Amino acid sequence: MAQIIDGKAVSARVKANVRKEADELKKQGIEIGLAVVIVGNDPASRVYVNNKKKACEEVGFTSYEYALPEETTEKELLELVDKLNNDDKVNGILVQLPLPKQINENSIINAIRPDKDVDAFHPANVGHIMIGDFSFLPCTPAGVMELIAETGVDVCGKNCVVIGRSNIVGKPMAMLLLHKHGTVTICHSRTKDLAEICARADILVAAVGKAKFVTPDMIKEGAVVIDVGMNRNENGKLCGDVDYDACFDKAGYITPVPGGVGPMTIAMLMKNTLTAAKIKNNIK
Ligand code: BQF
C-alpha cells in the first residue's frame, strides 16, 4: 500500500517559509510584487491565475493582474512585457500559458527580463538550468523535487523515468533528477516498450496529459509515483495521468490529484519571486 505524498501540506510549509522571509524584507522597506498576465478567457487559465494571486496574498506579496482580451496582438503584449520589465514594483513577471494563437509564445518568453522570469522559461534561464547554475528553478519540476525529498528516497543512483518531454515539465524535470545523480530516462509518444521501461523505475514522473495513462503493470513495486497530470475525466472531475486507485497498492509513495504537484507549482512560483526580489536587493 502506498503512502500518500501530501502536496497541500508541503506547499503550505514552503509558503510559510517564503512568508517569513518576505516579512523580514518588508521590515527593511522592501515590498515584493508579482505581475500576473492573462490573455483571453480560458477557464482553466483563470483558475490558475486566481490560485497564483491568492498565494501572493498568503505570502505577503502584492500581485498586479493584467487581464487582456482574447484578440490582443503580439505587439500589444510585448509592449506590456516591456513596461513590466522596467517597473521597479514588479519583481516577477508571469505570463499565463497557453496564449491565443495569434501570439507566438516564444517571442513573449524571450522578451521577459531573465531576472524577472519567475517561470524560468527564458532561454537564458533554461541554459542555466542545464548547466546546473541557477537562481530560478522551473516551478513544476522544482515542486516535484520537493515532493520526492519528502519521501526520504534519495534520487542518487536511482532509475528515474519521466513520461513526457515538454519544455515546461518533461525536459527540465529530467535535468533536475540528473543533477541529483539519478539515472534518467525520458519516455514519450514514440517510445517503444514504454510500459517495460516505466516498470523499472524507482521514481516515475508522469507528465503525459492523458487520464489513467499509468496503469499498475507500468509500476515497480514500492516505486515513488509522481503525477503531474491535470485532466478532466468523463464526469468533469480533476484527475491526473495515473490510474490512482488501481496503482495505489503497488506504489510505495504516490501523489494525489488534486492536492499533489499542483499546489507545489504555485508554492515554487512564490519562492522564485522571493528569490528575484532578494537578487535585486543584493540579499543572500
Ligand atoms: C491542486 C497548469 C496545465 C497547463 C497549464 C493546485 C493548481 C492546480 C491544481 C494550479 C497548472 C497546474 C498551472 C492544484 C497552475 C497547476 O490542488 O491540485 C494548483 O494552479 N496550477 C498553470 O498555471 O498552468 C498550467 C497545468
Side-chain angles (χ1 to χ4, degrees):
M1 206 178 69
Q3 251 175 276
I4 299 166
I5 314 171
D6 186 346
K8 199 124 189 140
V10 180
S11 74
R13 213 165 61 216
V14 171
K15 285 186 285 187
N17 287 327
V18 171
R19 166 110 223 174
K20 220 185 284 165
E21 286 201 54
D23 287 346
E24 283 304 313
L25 292 181
K26 218 170 263 179
K27 284 183 198 150
Q28 305 171 43
I30 299 165
E31 292 271 348
I32 303 176
L34 176 66
V36 182
V37 181
I38 177 168
V39 185
N41 315 306
D42 178 56
S45 290
R46 177 36 74 191
V47 171
Y48 299 148
V49 159
N50 288 349
N51 289 343
K52 292 167 190 183
K53 286 165 64 189
K54 180 164 163 275
C56 282
E57 259 179 59
E58 288 170 0
V59 301
F61 298 171
T62 307
S63 67
Y64 304 96
E65 180 181 304
Y66 294 83
L68 306 183
E70 183 74 36
E71 59 281 4
T72 300
T73 64
E74 186 173 303
K75 184 163 170 286
E76 286 168 328
L77 185 54
L78 285 170
E79 280 163 9
L80 173 59
V81 168
D82 188 53
K83 184 179 101 154
L84 298 173
N85 279 342
N86 295 301
D87 185 339
D88 267 337
K89 286 197 173 65
V90 171
N91 297 103
I93 301 170
L94 178 141
V95 179
Q96 185 64 41
L97 302 181
L99 290 167
K101 56 188 175 328
Q102 72 275 17
I103 302 177
N104 184 298
E105 284 184 355
N106 283 335
S107 24
I108 303 303
I109 290 168
N110 291 349
I112 297 173
R113 269 176 65 151
D115 58 354
K116 294 191 180 189
D117 171 39
V118 286
D119 267 332
F121 293 161
H122 189 286
N125 286 323
V126 174
H128 286 305
I129 291 155
M130 175 141 300
I131 293 163
D133 129 51
F134 34 69
S135 15
F136 305 131
L137 289 171
C139 300
T140 299
V144 170
M145 294 309 288
E146 294 285 325
L147 293 178
I148 294 170
E150 191 66 17
T151 66
V153 171
D154 186 2
V155 175
C156 183
K158 296 295 192 311
N159 278 334
C160 304
V161 173
V162 178
I163 321 174
R165 53 172 156 175
S166 73
N167 290 329
I168 292 175
V169 181
K171 281 189 227 172
M173 185 73 247
M175 210 48 59
L176 299 194
L177 290 163
L178 185 60
H179 291 328
K180 292 287 181 201
H181 317 292
T183 302
V184 184
T185 305
I186 305 177
C187 295
H188 49 79
S189 52
R190 314 285 176 92
T191 298
K192 282 188 271 177
D193 307 320
L194 183 134
E196 287 81 353
I197 294 167
C198 292
R200 276 184 256 134
D202 304 300
I203 299 171
L204 181 64
V205 180
V208 194
K210 283 191 188 129
K212 300 194 180 179
F213 184 87
V214 176
T215 46
D217 58 299
M218 296 161 72
I219 290 179
K220 178 176 172 178
E221 188 85 46
V224 177
V225 178
I226 307 283
D227 192 348
V228 183
M230 276 285 134
N231 313 296
R232 300 259 161 203
N233 71 6
E234 55 283 1
N235 306 316
K237 208 176 123 229
L238 204 59
C239 60
D241 294 339
V242 177
D243 188 341
Y244 183 88
D245 293 333
C247 293
F248 191 81
D249 284 335
K250 197 143 177 213
Y253 300 86
I254 194 164
T255 63
V257 178
V261 174
M264 291 305 297
T265 298
I266 307 292
M268 301 320 280
L269 176 68
M270 298 301 116
K271 192 169 171 187
N272 281 346
T273 306
L274 171 69
T275 300
K278 283 164 70 173
I279 291 172
K280 180 180 169 232
N281 292 285
N282 282 312
I283 295 162
K284 57 121 202 83

